[in-house]
């Protein structure tokens, strides 16, 4: 039986979908069920409102919202739910994502959005998993393993690179 999604991933355009692929890869790797939805704060505003308003009752626990340009999507979602909303500003236009970064991070007091870096969908997924792990010991253990593996990979990569550049010379 398919598991109910715990994380909702919303993007503002079908063109944004490839950019959240790395978020779904992370969540799948951690065994966190998710769903992906396209809804635009400007072009399909009723869909966004309905999705956000119904999210908690549907069992979602965290929402990741990615949008480019005047990225109002994370903020509008946050306006309609008290679930944690993680905004991913996407590089979609001439300003390289700086426009979306500022729109995502500069929320008015009272309606927070946790903004990650431009195009940082992977970090958004890890942050979403960290929120879920507060009440999920199995997931918390998987996140610790992920960190251990990341550190081991970095050490191995550093050793290889140092050997390549200075191998033989002491
Ligand atoms: C935003 O406008 C979307 O999130 C997208 O990143 C950007 C451009 O939209 P498209 O013209 O690619 O549909 O709403």
């Amino acid at each position: 039986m398919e598991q109910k999604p715990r994380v909702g991933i919303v993007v503002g355009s079908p063109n944004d979908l490839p950019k959240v692929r790395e978020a779904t890869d992370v969540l799948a790797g951690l065994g966190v069920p998710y769903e992906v939805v396209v809804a635009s704060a400007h072009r399909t505003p009723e869909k966004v409102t309905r999705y956000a308003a119904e999210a908690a009752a549907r069992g979602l626990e965290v929402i990741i919202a990615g949008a480019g340009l005047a990225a109002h999507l994370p903020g509008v979602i946050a306006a309609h739910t008290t679930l944690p909303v993680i905004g991913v500003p996407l590089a979609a236009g001439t300003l390289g994502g700086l426009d979306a970064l500022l729109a995502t991070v500069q929320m008015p007091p009272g309606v927070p959005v946790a903004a990650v870096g431009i195009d940082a969908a992977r970090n958004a997924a890890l942050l979403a998993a960290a929120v879920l792990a507060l009440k999920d010991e199995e997931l918390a253990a998987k996140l610790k393993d992920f960190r251990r593996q990341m550190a081991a990979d970095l050490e191995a990569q550093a050793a290889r690179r140092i050997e390549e550049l200075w191998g033989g010379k002491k």
Side-chain angles (χ1 to χ4, degrees):
M1 197 182 77
E2 221 172 75
Q3 284 179 293
K4 263 174 64 171
R6 299 180 71 187
V7 178
I9 301 175
V10 190
V11 290
S13 163
N15 296 323
D16 296 333
L17 287 169
K19 295 220 165 167
V20 292
R21 189 58 209 261
E22 56 184 54
T24 61
D25 287 348
V26 166
L27 294 174
L30 291 168
V32 175
Y34 61 85
E35 66 182 9
V36 179
V37 169
V38 177
S40 164
H42 305 112
R43 293 174 283 190
T44 57
E46 294 86 3
K47 183 177 179 184
V48 172
T49 305
R50 194 170 56 247
Y51 183 82
E54 294 174 354
R58 291 182 47 240
L60 293 173
E61 296 169 75
V62 186
I63 297 177
I64 293 171
L69 304 181
H72 295 117
L73 182 63
V76 170
I77 291 175
H80 292 282
T81 181
T82 52
L83 292 177
V85 177
I86 302 170
V88 188
L90 300 178
T94 49
L95 299 184
L98 195 55
D99 40 5
L101 173 66
L102 296 177
T104 304
V105 80
Q106 289 288 48
M107 286 296 290
V111 188
V113 164
V116 294
I118 296 169
D119 287 344
R122 182 176 157 82
N123 266 0
L126 288 167
L127 185 55
V131 172
L132 300 179
L134 288 171
K135 292 198 171 169
D136 183 334
E137 280 177 25
E138 202 183 318
L139 182 55
K142 284 183 189 169
L143 273 178
K144 281 193 184 130
D145 276 350
F146 173 88
R147 289 281 177 101
R148 270 193 287 271
Q149 189 58 53
M150 187 169 59
D153 290 347
L154 185 90
E155 290 298 344
Q157 193 190 346
R160 273 198 308 275
R161 201 71 187 107
I162 287 169
E163 180 59 29
E164 273 167 28
L165 291 167
W166 291 282
K169 291 185 215 153
K170 290 277 173 220

